[in-house]
Amino acid sequence: MHQYMQRVYDEVKARNPHEKLFLQTVEEVFESLEPIVEKNAELYEKYGVLERMCEPDRMIQFRVTWADDNGMPHVNRGFRVQFNSAIGPYKGGLRFASDVTLDTMKFLGFEQTFKNSLTSLPLGGGKGGSDFSPIGKSDAEVMRFCQAFMTELWRHIGPDVDVPAGDIGVGGREIGYLYGQYKRIKAVWENGVLTGKGFSYGGSLIRPEATGYGAVYYLVEVLKHFGETIEGKRIAVSGYGNVGWGIMKKAAQLGAKVTYFAGPDGYIHDPDGVTGDKLDFILEMRAKDPMHCKPYADKYGVEFVPGTKCWGVKDVDIIMPAATQNDVNEEWAQKIIDSGVKYYIEVANMPTTNEALAMLRKCEHITVAPSKAVNAGGVATSGFEMSQNSMRYNWTAEEVDEKLQVTMKNIYAASVEAAEKAGLGYDLVAGGNIAGFLRVADAMIAQGLV
Ligand code: GLU
């Protein structure tokens, strides 16, 4: 590592010794930035670009107290990490999951900064959430929790300040309750304070599907590079939340098939692909019980393999991890390599450990695409929702979809170009990190030492 990078990395490590996820993403990004930093080390060092990028502008942590349906009190932790505002108001989702810690928030906020930059929209980086999980809670409990959470968060956010959205555990229902409480407390119609809203009160068409759709649009560009099309391709996905579901839907529309998908309880193998009414069934199944995908196998008479992941299956062309971080470790990476699959398209935020990522990138028959670029269609469409809210106007689904497609093509092209310019050849991982970094770094230098 270049000595400036090494110094900053050592400082980050010394300052955050227990933050494994945050250190993992910093290390991954730094590795990609090496050729760029080497060329401009003096400038970046003079403006403290790397050290400022690794320290959030501010971090807010608060207690969330709520009562369950039996009147019993519960205390959760709420977070909002406002990471970087060089190119726009803080923007990024809220994650409600029992394993959320400040480390999770920092890793996601750091990644969000680069991802948002790639969209070329004016969006800074932020992330928030809580160690509260909506799984197994009643609707009334989720509402009370969201209201308690917003009662603290509202003073830190705003349409020109910080704009949260959904992530794992936060979908349309939660955003609705959060928005209602924000409006009640502030007594204003600041429609753009949250994204992922319902269409009846300022949401954007296509937002629920956008991350999955965007991932498939990006994939189409990768295939084009190799003279291939998506038609007839077989895809294995992990996760069937909004993101996995969006992938299934778009893949089916474009003549490809998701033939494997995995949930927390095991995986499904449906050789005919998830198409037609099966897509609706997944929504129903998820709403009833998000921890089990076996009911899909029972209903459609297909294979269910309990307690394991579908990585390493031989009869697919494309792998798309779309569940959560560190889904693919070295052991799974080896299985993926041995399976002969050609495309490894990350979708979830940091779904691959750094060691596994290095193995997959080294493997000659595999092309790797990074999540920061591949999943950026979600936040880009959040940006479109903010634009529509500012205009007090709604675009049609076709208009939003068209903008999403253009954005994904541009992200892909910018990544390819950035890697080539840095002398790295066709390297989507490094290219994505570099392209995202350059815009933020430029803005930070222009705005001085703040
Ligand atoms: N949580 C999503 C992400 O990881 C979306 C963020 C947003 O729309 O602000 O990018």
Side-chain angles (χ1 to χ4, degrees), residues 268-296:
I268 299 283
H269 177 208
D270 182 351
D272 295 332
V274 186
T275 53
D277 66 329
K278 293 172 183 170
L279 286 161
D280 299 327
F281 180 75
I282 286 191
L283 290 184
E284 272 168 46
M285 178 173 80
R286 208 171 70 193
K288 264 191 224 145
D289 170 8
M291 297 307 281
H292 295 92
C293 64
K294 185 176 176 291
Y296 181 101

Coordinates of all heavy atoms in Angstrom, one line a residue, residues 268-296:
I268 N -34.1 -23.1 -2.7 CA -35.1 -23.7 -3.7 C -34.5 -23.9 -5.0 O -33.7 -23.0 -5.5 CB -36.3 -22.6 -3.9 CG1 -37.0 -22.3 -2.5 CG2 -37.2 -23.0 -5.0 CD1 -38.0 -23.3 -2.1
H269 N -34.8 -25.0 -5.7 CA -34.3 -25.2 -7.1 C -35.6 -25.3 -7.9 O -36.3 -26.3 -7.8 CB -33.4 -26.4 -7.2 CG -33.0 -26.7 -8.6 ND1 -32.7 -27.9 -9.1 CD2 -32.9 -25.8 -9.6 CE1 -32.4 -27.9 -10.3 NE2 -32.5 -26.6 -10.7
D270 N -35.9 -24.3 -8.7 CA -37.0 -24.3 -9.6 C -36.5 -24.2 -11.1 O -36.2 -23.1 -11.5 CB -38.0 -23.2 -9.3 CG -39.2 -23.2 -10.2 OD1 -39.2 -24.0 -11.1 OD2 -40.1 -22.4 -9.9
P271 N -36.3 -25.4 -11.7 CA -35.7 -25.3 -13.1 C -36.5 -24.5 -14.1 O -35.9 -24.0 -15.1 CB -35.7 -26.8 -13.5 CG -36.0 -27.6 -12.3 CD -36.7 -26.7 -11.3
D272 N -37.8 -24.3 -13.9 CA -38.6 -23.5 -14.8 C -38.4 -22.0 -14.5 O -38.9 -21.2 -15.3 CB -40.1 -23.8 -14.7 CG -40.3 -25.3 -15.1 OD1 -39.5 -25.8 -16.0 OD2 -41.2 -25.9 -14.6
G273 N -37.8 -21.6 -13.4 CA -37.6 -20.2 -13.1 C -38.8 -19.6 -12.3 O -39.9 -20.1 -12.4
V274 N -38.5 -18.6 -11.6 CA -39.5 -17.9 -10.8 C -40.2 -16.9 -11.8 O -39.6 -15.8 -12.1 CB -38.9 -17.2 -9.6 CG1 -40.1 -16.6 -8.8 CG2 -38.1 -18.1 -8.8
T275 N -41.3 -17.2 -12.3 CA -42.0 -16.3 -13.2 C -43.5 -16.3 -12.9 O -44.0 -17.1 -12.0 CB -41.9 -16.9 -14.7 OG1 -42.3 -18.2 -14.7 CG2 -40.5 -16.8 -15.2
G276 N -44.2 -15.4 -13.6 CA -45.7 -15.4 -13.5 C -46.2 -15.3 -12.1 O -45.7 -14.5 -11.3
D277 N -47.2 -16.1 -11.7 CA -47.8 -16.0 -10.4 C -46.9 -16.4 -9.3 O -47.2 -16.1 -8.1 CB -49.1 -16.8 -10.4 CG -48.9 -18.3 -10.5 OD1 -47.9 -18.7 -11.2 OD2 -49.6 -19.1 -9.9
K278 N -45.8 -17.1 -9.6 CA -44.8 -17.4 -8.6 C -44.2 -16.2 -7.9 O -43.9 -16.2 -6.7 CB -43.7 -18.3 -9.1 CG -44.1 -19.7 -9.6 CD -43.0 -20.3 -10.4 CE -43.3 -21.6 -10.9 NZ -42.3 -22.1 -11.8
L279 N -44.1 -15.1 -8.7 CA -43.6 -13.9 -8.2 C -44.6 -13.3 -7.1 O -44.1 -12.8 -6.1 CB -43.5 -12.8 -9.3 CG -42.3 -13.1 -10.3 CD1 -42.5 -12.4 -11.6 CD2 -41.0 -12.7 -9.6
D280 N -45.9 -13.4 -7.4 CA -46.8 -12.9 -6.4 C -46.8 -13.8 -5.1 O -46.9 -13.3 -4.0 CB -48.3 -13.0 -7.0 CG -48.4 -12.0 -8.2 OD1 -47.7 -11.0 -8.2 OD2 -49.1 -12.4 -9.1
F281 N -46.6 -15.1 -5.4 CA -46.6 -16.0 -4.2 C -45.4 -15.7 -3.3 O -45.6 -15.8 -2.1 CB -46.5 -17.5 -4.7 CG -46.5 -18.4 -3.5 CD1 -47.6 -18.7 -2.8 CD2 -45.3 -19.0 -3.1 CE1 -47.6 -19.6 -1.7 CE2 -45.2 -19.9 -2.0 CZ -46.4 -20.1 -1.3
I282 N -44.3 -15.3 -3.9 CA -43.2 -14.9 -3.0 C -43.5 -13.8 -2.1 O -43.1 -13.7 -1.0 CB -41.9 -14.7 -3.9 CG1 -41.4 -16.0 -4.4 CG2 -40.8 -13.9 -3.2 CD1 -40.1 -16.0 -5.1
L283 N -44.2 -12.8 -2.7 CA -44.6 -11.6 -1.9 C -45.5 -12.1 -0.7 O -45.3 -11.7 0.5 CB -45.4 -10.6 -2.7 CG -44.6 -9.9 -3.8 CD1 -45.5 -8.8 -4.4 CD2 -43.4 -9.2 -3.1
E284 N -46.4 -13.0 -1.0 CA -47.3 -13.5 0.1 C -46.5 -14.2 1.1 O -46.7 -14.0 2.3 CB -48.3 -14.5 -0.5 CG -49.6 -13.9 -1.1 CD -50.3 -15.0 -1.9 OE1 -50.4 -16.2 -1.4 OE2 -50.7 -14.7 -3.0
M285 N -45.7 -15.1 0.6 CA -44.9 -16.0 1.5 C -44.0 -15.1 2.5 O -44.0 -15.4 3.7 CB -44.0 -16.9 0.7 CG -43.1 -17.8 1.4 SD -42.3 -18.9 0.3 CE -41.0 -17.9 -0.4
R286 N -43.4 -14.1 1.9 CA -42.6 -13.2 2.7 C -43.3 -12.4 3.7 O -42.9 -12.3 4.8 CB -41.9 -12.2 1.7 CG -40.6 -11.7 2.1 CD -40.0 -11.0 0.9 NE -40.7 -9.7 0.7 CZ -40.6 -9.0 -0.4 NH1 -39.8 -9.4 -1.4 NH2 -41.2 -7.9 -0.6
A287 N -44.5 -12.0 3.3 CA -45.3 -11.2 4.3 C -45.8 -12.1 5.5 O -45.8 -11.6 6.6 CB -46.5 -10.6 3.6
K288 N -46.0 -13.3 5.2 CA -46.5 -14.2 6.3 C -45.3 -14.6 7.2 O -45.5 -14.7 8.4 CB -47.1 -15.5 5.6 CG -48.6 -15.4 5.5 CD -49.1 -16.8 5.2 CE -50.2 -16.7 4.1 NZ -50.2 -17.7 3.1
D289 N -44.2 -15.0 6.6 CA -43.1 -15.5 7.4 C -41.8 -15.3 6.6 O -41.4 -16.1 5.7 CB -43.3 -17.0 7.7 CG -42.1 -17.6 8.3 OD1 -41.1 -16.9 8.6 OD2 -42.1 -18.8 8.4
P290 N -41.0 -14.2 6.9 CA -39.8 -13.9 6.1 C -38.6 -14.9 6.3 O -37.6 -14.8 5.7 CB -39.5 -12.5 6.5 CG -40.0 -12.3 7.9 CD -41.2 -13.2 8.0
M291 N -38.8 -15.8 7.3 CA -37.6 -16.7 7.6 C -37.7 -18.0 6.9 O -36.7 -18.8 7.0 CB -37.6 -16.9 9.1 CG -37.4 -15.7 10.0 SD -36.0 -14.7 9.5 CE -34.7 -15.7 10.3
H292 N -38.7 -18.3 6.1 CA -38.8 -19.6 5.5 C -39.3 -19.5 4.0 O -40.3 -18.9 3.7 CB -39.8 -20.5 6.2 CG -39.4 -20.8 7.6 ND1 -39.8 -20.1 8.7 CD2 -38.6 -21.8 8.1 CE1 -39.2 -20.6 9.8 NE2 -38.5 -21.6 9.5
C293 N -38.4 -20.1 3.2 CA -38.8 -20.2 1.7 C -39.4 -21.6 1.3 O -39.8 -21.8 0.2 CB -37.7 -19.7 0.8 SG -36.2 -20.8 0.9
K294 N -39.3 -22.5 2.3 CA -39.8 -23.9 2.0 C -41.2 -23.9 1.4 O -41.5 -24.7 0.5 CB -39.7 -24.8 3.2 CG -40.0 -26.2 2.9 CD -39.8 -27.1 4.2 CE -40.2 -28.5 3.9 NZ -41.6 -28.6 3.8
P295 N -42.1 -23.0 1.9 CA -43.5 -23.1 1.4 C -43.6 -23.0 -0.2 O -44.5 -23.5 -0.8 CB -44.2 -21.9 2.0 CG -43.5 -21.7 3.3 CD -42.0 -22.1 3.0
Y296 N -42.6 -22.3 -0.8 CA -42.5 -22.2 -2.2 C -42.4 -23.6 -2.8 O -43.1 -24.0 -3.8 CB -41.4 -21.3 -2.6 CG -41.2 -21.1 -4.1 CD1 -41.7 -19.9 -4.7 CD2 -40.6 -22.1 -5.0 CE1 -41.5 -19.7 -6.1 CE2 -40.5 -21.9 -6.3 CZ -40.9 -20.7 -6.9 OH -40.8 -20.5 -8.2

